[in-house]
């Protein structure tokens, strides 16, 4: 009602009828994972306490830039890339470490040959 979130009232029907129209799957869990990657969060109401499963099949999602009538804000909803950047940093460090080890191995091989 406030225009700052959206509801999925029947996850089974949503997954069966809506998801295949816009995605290559009909898996609700995959859809929720995608929403999370774009910064959407599930809204948990105080009366639900976050621990008890709600009586009705109503899931609500919100994002700070998803506001009714504020279409210009939608361009700010972007996929998070921090984990990809972090992985690339780890790969770069790993390749550097391998190069250092390779250099040490070659040095040891040279010394071994000289000792023989």
């Amino acid at each position: 009602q406030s225009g700052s979130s959206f509801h999925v009232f029947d996850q089974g029907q949503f997954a069966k009828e809506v998801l295949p129209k816009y995605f290559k799957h009909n898996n609700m869990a995959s859809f929720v994972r995608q929403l999370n990657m774009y910064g959407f969060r599930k809204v948990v109401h105080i009366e639900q306490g976050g621990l008890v499963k709600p009586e009705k099949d109503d899931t609500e999602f919100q994002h700070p830039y998803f506001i009714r009538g504020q279409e210009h804000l939608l361009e700010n909803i972007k996929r998070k890339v921090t984990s990809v950047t972090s992985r690339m940093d780890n790969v770069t460090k790993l390749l550097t470490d391998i190069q250092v080890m390779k250099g040490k191995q070659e040095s040891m091989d040279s010394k071994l040959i000289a000792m023989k």
Side-chain angles (χ1 to χ4, degrees):
Q1 288 180 326
S2 68
S4 62
S5 65
F6 71 92
H7 290 256
V8 176
F9 291 107
D10 183 337
Q11 290 187 22
Q13 185 178 6
F14 181 81
K16 192 167 116 180
E17 296 178 16
V18 178
L19 289 181
K21 289 182 182 179
Y22 302 98
F23 298 93
K24 295 177 183 175
H25 63 79
N26 63 350
N27 186 328
M28 187 65 186
S30 295
F31 176 67
V32 171
R33 194 168 29 255
Q34 287 292 318
L35 287 174
N36 289 333
M37 279 197 274
Y38 282 87
F40 282 82
R41 293 290 169 247
K42 185 175 176 182
V43 177
V44 178
H45 296 281
I46 295 170
E47 62 272 8
Q48 292 174 354
L51 299 175
V52 180
K53 190 170 184 170
E55 295 292 322
K56 54 186 180 176
D57 186 16
D58 175 7
T59 308
E60 182 180 3
F61 297 95
Q62 65 87 30
H63 188 286
Y65 295 123
F66 186 81
I67 302 170
R68 181 189 304 130
Q70 304 290 319
E71 290 83 6
H72 66 281
L73 294 176
L74 293 175
E75 67 187 41
N76 296 316
I77 299 176
K78 296 184 169 107
R79 186 174 177 151
K80 296 177 182 179
V81 292
T82 53
S83 63
V84 173
T85 304
S86 175
R87 285 187 202 142
M88 288 304 292
D89 290 345
N90 289 342
V91 168
T92 302
K93 183 183 181 319
L94 188 61
L95 290 173
T96 302
D97 290 350
I98 289 172
Q99 200 63 36
V100 168
M101 285 174 45
K102 188 176 177 183
K104 288 180 180 179
Q105 179 68 42
E106 289 171 355
S107 173
M108 286 179 14
D109 287 348
S110 298
K111 290 177 182 174
L112 209 71
I113 289 171
M115 286 172 45
K116 285 183 181 177

